Amino acid sequence: MAKVSTEGKTVEEKIAMAEEISRGYFRQGLNCSECVVRTFMDMHDSDLPESVIRMASGFGGGMGHTKNTCGAISGAVMALGMEKGRDPFESDDMKERIQKLQGEVYPIFGEMVNEIKDEYGTLICSELSDPHGDFEGKARKKNCMQIIAYCAGIAEKYANK
């Protein structure tokens, strides 16, 4: 893992770093979801193993290349979970577990996803990519790289809330 120091950086600087790092990973052949998750792992002091990036692999291309929910958005949700997710076993009480989800977890994740949807008008890979032609074409790849960078940056923004 290529850990980067974010110490002393403003949130805006961290967002810009996340955007640039994620673009670099896309250029190296990582899929959309892997780019966002890997960037987040690089920027945050995570005790997660290197192999965690494998969990993001199947979300690329809108989940297994089905062009459903955008993989960069799924990656942003997974990435944010590293900082804002819950440990469901920290309480033995089912009601407390549910309250934490509804009161602390879902609101911040929902706010982030809604901000992404407001930016692009959709969360669906095909709707984001089809206007740019062939899925293997340069225009689509350029569009996806921009979305990946945005999602990496927005995950960083919400991690700092």
Side-chain angles (χ1 to χ4, degrees):
M1 226 181 320
K3 291 278 184 190
V4 296
S5 175
T6 59
E7 192 172 326
K9 304 278 186 201
T10 67
V11 173
E12 291 77 18
E13 290 170 324
K14 291 177 185 179
I15 291 168
M17 286 175 66
E19 291 173 349
E20 188 56 36
I21 292 167
S22 66
R23 284 185 190 100
Y25 282 130
F26 188 70
R27 288 182 193 107
Q28 292 177 43
L30 277 70
N31 76 24
C32 45
S33 189
E34 292 168 341
C35 289
V36 177
V37 171
R38 180 58 191 250
T39 296
F40 208 85
M41 289 175 71
D42 289 354
M43 293 183 64
H44 292 265
D45 206 13
S46 170
D47 60 354
L48 295 171
E50 180 80 14
S51 62
V52 79
I53 195 72
R54 293 178 187 171
M55 290 190 307
S57 295
F59 290 92
M63 293 192 230
H65 213 272
T66 63
K67 295 188 183 179
N68 285 300
T69 304
C70 169
I73 298 167
S74 297
V77 171
M78 286 187 283
L80 185 59
M82 290 182 219
E83 290 290 316
K84 302 292 184 175
R86 69 174 177 145
D87 174 357
F89 301 107
E90 73 183 4
S91 171
D92 291 332
D93 184 83
M94 182 182 74
K95 287 183 182 181
E96 284 180 26
R97 289 176 178 172
I98 293 168
Q99 285 174 330
K100 184 158 187 164
L101 274 177
Q102 294 179 351
E104 296 175 32
V105 177
Y106 290 160
I108 195 163
F109 285 84
E111 186 179 341
M112 179 184 73
V113 170
N114 283 327
E115 187 169 335
I116 296 168
K117 187 174 183 182
D118 289 346
E119 176 72 18
Y120 292 104
T122 186
L123 304 174
I124 306 301
C125 176
S126 61
E127 294 171 10
L128 293 164
S129 62
D130 285 354
H132 300 280
D134 177 39
F135 202 79
E136 297 305 318
K138 188 175 182 176
R140 193 278 314 164
K141 289 178 182 177
K142 183 177 178 182
N143 178 64
C144 286
M145 184 185 298
Q146 190 278 325
I147 294 169
I148 289 164
Y150 181 81
C151 287
I154 202 94
E156 188 61 36
K157 172 185 169 182
Y158 279 85
N160 284 277
K161 279 191 166 202

